Amino acid sequence: MADVRLQAVRKTFGVLDVIKGVDLDIRAGEFVVFVGPSGCGKSTLLRMIAGLEDISEGTLTIGGQTMNDVDPSQRGIAMVFQSYALYPHMTVRENMGFALRFAGMDKQEIARRVQSAARILELEPLLERKPKALSGGQRQRVAIGRAIVRNPKVFLFDEPLSNLDAELRVHMRVEIARLHKELKTTVIYVTHDQVEAMTLADKIVVLRAGQVEQVGAPLDLYDDPANLFVAGFIGAPRINVFTGQVTARLPGAAEVRLDGFAERRLVIPLTGEAPAEGTEIRLGIRPEHLTEGGAESLPIEIDMFEHLGGETFAYGRSRSGETIIVSTRNGRHLKAGQVLAAGFDASKALLFDAAGLRIR
Amino acid sequence: MSLSATTPVTGAPARPFLRHLERAGLYLALSVAAFLSVFPFLWMLVSATNSSGEIIRGKLGLGDQFWINLDNFMTQVDLPLVMWNSAKVAVLSTVLTIAVSSLAGYGFEMFRSKMRERLYSLVLLTLMVPFAALMIPLFMMIGQAGLINTHIAILLPSIASAFIIFYFRQATKAFPTELRDAARVDGLKEWQIFLFIYVPVMRSTYAAAFVIVFMTSWNNYLWPLIVLQSNETKTITLVVSALASAYYPDFGVVMIGTILATLPTLIVFFVMQRQFVAGMLGSVK
């Protein structure tokens, strides 16, 4: 278990800036998830930590030691890949013990470690099989086992569950969380799935275009996003966004008017100073905060539904054309074409400026 | 009531006669093609049992001259020596070509460099140059190096094969880069990744390349004809050709030689048939 620190880390491919200066502190034993859309640089950043990509600028330290130019095998890391990357010509046992054998470890110690990891991951009956004789979930467990036997200071996971079906993904997610609890090793985990990020992470790092947008605990990011991108990326279904303008500055609040609802004035409480009158704003309201009750209410015409059993997602449009999602536990009676008075509590609404930055 | 009894058949109406006719035509065409392919081989086997005169007269039946032809062949040719020469040249050439060309193919695919594609294009361009154009300068170079009448003269020009480099590069495109990454994390150096991961994973590709290069090398005629002038160094293809171009060739003996020259390539092909097919389809599934 070791801490990981990135200071002004950059990665350039020719003239292309892929990672544009990342500063990050990861405490020993922490489960950190890098999350962001495709191409945001999260996998590249992970590969830089692993030593599979050079660091163009900045410093990477693991356990207090600078690792910029250290060979991947000497960094005290172990990595689990999206495609498992198991050696197809070796059995599960050989796959798991390969790195140790190569490091010149005693055969008995290799056997002990492989056996121990196999027991933790319930792989004992599969040890003599080749990867092609395993299911996706079993392969992933072998890949994790291969990482465990090395007893690393830091586990790196690169979208490890992306190739699994939905049910297995949930199962493996729980397995990984259990494993982290058991081994207490630092974990850096890359995913584009915000549900994985929310459920696994002690700390989420939201990345966009090679930059860190926000770092924080999952619920902190959910409740208090720094900008519209984070608000949109964290939370499923996506946050609803209305456009509008500030109509008045009030003490500790801003009065706003939303496009398409000119007759309504909403008072949004703020801890700081309200923006000037006439400022363009974006108002974000999470789908579960739009209900049929609430202090404020907006008429939304419903187009379609997704009934999930326990809850219903109703899709509609605001009068200015934005897609609005209402999440309700009591939506079986709703009908398409019906106008829903979507109410919400103004204290739950999140205010952003036109550039998407949060106004608190 | 079963589903098949109640469900109407949809699509085109069944026309068994036309379908049978189509199939018969197909089998006929395939049979003709198969016969044309196999006939020279059969003719070679049958002719080896006939005398030269019978062969010239066009006899297609089995004869009783096989042992006589074989005896004549053995008296005219030092079979162990020419077979050893051919085997030595073919095996060494195959091993060296595959070793060098697979390394080159791996390198071209794995390592990013500004010059990579330009260099690769140059390698591919050499495929366009006919061997006839290279023969004389190559002969002069080999002559100046004092290598005429040595097997090294055959090995050297064949080692870096543009086609096999191309073949390995194409096959390497299917080699998962994550395996290389995993191996690097496991502490392997680049040469170890090549040797312990790439080679075993790509073994079908290697098998297919082995068959191709071995056959090409074993059947190689023109270049050995130019550089191997002493009887001690000649390969079986040269010896058979010499038998056929005698003033009064004994075609029965020639056919024995042809059979013996064909046997090793047949054995290699049949032993590695499965791996060859798998390699042509791609090693990595």
Side-chain angles (χ1 to χ4, degrees), chain A residues 242-245 257-264 298-299 318-322:
Chain A
F242 297 88
T243 56
Q245 301 82 37
R257 179 186 64 209
L258 301 183
D259 296 342
F261 303 98
E263 74 282 2
R264 300 274 314 156
L298 301 169
S318 70
R319 286 186 193 161
S320 54
E322 294 108 347

Side-chain angles (χ1 to χ4, degrees), chain A residues 47 73 83 86-87 89 99 150, chain B residues 178-179 181 183 185-187 196:
Chain A
R47 289 171 60 82
S73 62
S83 67
L86 300 177
Y87 306 125
H89 55 295
R150 301 186 61 196
Chain B
E178 283 193 343
L179 279 186
D181 290 340
V185 171
D186 280 347
F196 298 119

Side-chain angles (χ1 to χ4, degrees), chain B residues 225-237:
Chain B
L225 180 72
I226 295 167
V227 289
L228 300 181
Q229 290 153 4
S230 74
N231 284 336
E232 287 71 36
T233 54
K234 280 186 176 169
T235 57
I236 185 118
T237 44

Side-chain angles (χ1 to χ4, degrees), chain B residues 93 97 131 134 138 142 147 151-162 223 227:
Chain B
S93 166
T97 305
F131 182 69
L134 295 173
L138 210 53
I142 294 291
L147 295 173
H151 290 144
I152 298 172
I154 305 176
L155 295 177
L156 277 180
S158 71
I159 287 173
S161 157
W223 181 240
V227 289

Side-chain angles (χ1 to χ4, degrees), chain B residues 261-273:
Chain B
T262 313
L263 271 179
T265 54
L266 273 180
I267 292 167
V268 166
F269 185 77
F270 281 118
V271 167
M272 305 186 82
Q273 195 178 15

Side-chain angles (χ1 to χ4, degrees), chain B residues 31-98:
Chain B
S31 302
V32 170
F35 179 76
L36 288 175
S37 307
V38 175
F39 180 75
F41 188 72
L42 280 177
W43 188 67
M44 175 185 79
L45 289 176
V46 168
S47 298
T49 66
N50 290 314
S51 68
S52 195
E54 287 169 330
I55 295 167
I56 291 167
R57 283 197 297 278
K59 185 184 172 192
L60 289 174
L62 283 171
D64 54 3
Q65 300 291 304
F66 178 76
W67 296 111
I68 296 165
N69 287 338
L70 184 63
D71 194 41
N72 288 340
F73 179 84
M74 296 303 278
T75 51
Q76 289 174 48
V77 175
D78 185 352
L79 185 65
L81 179 71
V82 290
M83 281 301 225
W84 165 246
N85 286 342
S86 275
K88 188 169 83 176
V89 167
V91 170
L92 279 176
S93 166
T94 306
V95 170
L96 290 172
T97 305
I98 288 179

